[in-house]
Amino acid sequence: MNVLKIGKYEFKSRLMVGTGKYPSNEIMVKALEASGAEVVTVAVRRVNLDKKGDSLLNHIDTKKYTILPNTAGCYTVDDAVRTARLGREALETDLVKLEVIGNEKTLFPDNEALLEASRILVKEGFIILPYTNDDPIMAKKLEDIGCSAVMPLAAPIGSGLGIRNPYNIKIILETIKIPVIVDAGVGTASDAAIAMELGCDGLLMNTGIAGAKDPVKMAKAMKLAVEAGRLAYESGRIPKKLYATASSPIEGMID
């Protein structure tokens, strides 16, 4: 399989994982290892960035993983931009998963604010992966202003509902040229495989792994599902047909 390219970065793994909601930091470390992920996302507003005390960052091998700061919990342009800048300064990275939430109950993105925040941060040299809804028009706008990828939700954050609208995801894939990384809503391995079989370039997940009864086993399952789904996409599946087609053709057989 070819590598995933996001801006100047290249990754062999197409699975990105979060660091929240695990039963313990020890289990998180084991799950990260089992997932095979190279990118680990950290909520800037929810962790101790100076690594004092029992900071989450003390449990993540920054030589092994690329840290992707995110602006989770931000509801305004100013808050998201400020948080992204803080993450860049503290973690010494130009990567940011940009979130501007529009509603506290649904956690759906505020796409108008997201677009504005993206414009500001692109000009400041950030490599932006924006969390957005499954809207092909918004995906194109984000590409046009210079975002390095788009991260459409599969379903509401933490819902585990899987890909609710595969057709919109498919249209997004046909509309833009930058990577499409499904974010939010993946609950189990089959959800991950479906996303990858559609042609998505990658997946980011947290709750589906961290909230499982056995996060380490689920992390490994997600790794295998992402790999299998990508291989299936690259292989080219057979077309769907209403009626049967014999697997052993009879043409040319001798009576």
Side-chain angles (χ1 to χ4, degrees):
M1 292 187 292
N2 53 5
V3 298
L4 170 60
K5 297 182 180 180
I6 300 175
K8 63 186 179 184
Y9 297 89
E10 293 186 357
F11 306 104
K12 294 179 181 178
S13 173
R14 293 176 179 271
L15 175 61
M16 305 178 182
V17 293
T19 52
K21 302 182 181 181
Y22 285 92
S24 68
N25 285 327
E26 291 71 25
I27 292 177
M28 178 198 70
V29 170
K30 292 179 181 178
L32 295 184
E33 179 69 27
S35 73
E38 296 171 76
V39 178
V40 175
T41 185
V42 173
V44 174
R45 299 187 64 184
R46 296 171 183 165
V47 300
N48 182 3
L49 296 178
D50 60 14
K51 296 188 179 183
K52 292 181 180 179
D54 190 30
S55 170
L56 174 70
L57 294 175
N58 289 329
H59 298 273
I60 301 173
D61 185 352
T62 54
K63 294 181 180 179
K64 181 177 181 180
Y65 301 107
T66 297
I67 303 299
L68 173 63
N70 70 63
T71 62
C74 294
Y75 286 82
T76 67
V77 172
D78 289 344
D79 201 9
V81 169
R82 187 184 311 112
T83 302
R85 291 168 177 164
L86 177 62
R88 177 171 63 180
E89 181 178 351
L91 299 171
E92 299 180 342
T93 180
D94 51 4
L95 284 166
V96 63
K97 177 194 169 188
L98 187 61
E99 299 183 32
V100 187
I101 302 301
N103 181 274
E104 187 174 358
K105 182 177 181 180
T106 64
L107 299 181
F108 285 150
D110 181 337
N111 284 324
E112 183 178 359
L114 176 68
L115 201 60
E116 184 178 347
S118 296
R119 285 195 183 98
I120 294 170
L121 295 173
V122 163
K123 291 179 181 178
E124 296 182 10
F126 281 88
I127 295 176
I128 302 172
L129 293 78
Y131 161 70
T132 180
N133 61 10
D134 55 356
D135 178 2
I137 305 302
M138 180 55 62
K140 181 59 178 171
K141 287 181 178 181
L142 290 165
E143 179 185 43
D144 289 344
I145 65 171
C147 289
S148 298
V150 294
M151 305 186 81
L153 54 82
I157 292 174
S159 67
L161 291 172
I163 308 294
R164 293 296 84 200
N165 196 339
Y167 306 105
N168 271 27
I169 298 294
K170 195 70 175 176
I171 294 172
I172 290 173
L173 288 163
E174 294 174 357
T175 302
I176 64 176
K177 296 180 180 179
I178 56 177
V180 176
I181 301 170
V182 166
D183 179 24
V186 173
T188 191
S190 58
D191 299 333
I194 289 170
M196 298 306 294
E197 286 173 6
L198 286 172
C200 293
D201 298 280
L203 285 175
L204 189 151
M205 64 183 73
N206 185 186
T207 307
I209 294 175
K213 290 183 179 179
D214 189 329
V216 179
K217 285 185 177 180
M218 184 60 81
K220 184 175 181 180
M222 293 297 190
K223 172 188 176 182
L224 297 174
V226 168
E227 291 176 354
R230 182 67 185 182
L231 282 171
Y233 168 73
E234 292 177 349
S235 300
R237 64 156 294 144
I238 63 171
K240 295 180 180 180
K241 299 178 181 179
L242 183 60
Y243 296 104
T245 302
S247 57
S248 299
I250 59 173
E251 289 83 358
M253 293 183 65
I254 300 174
D255 293 333

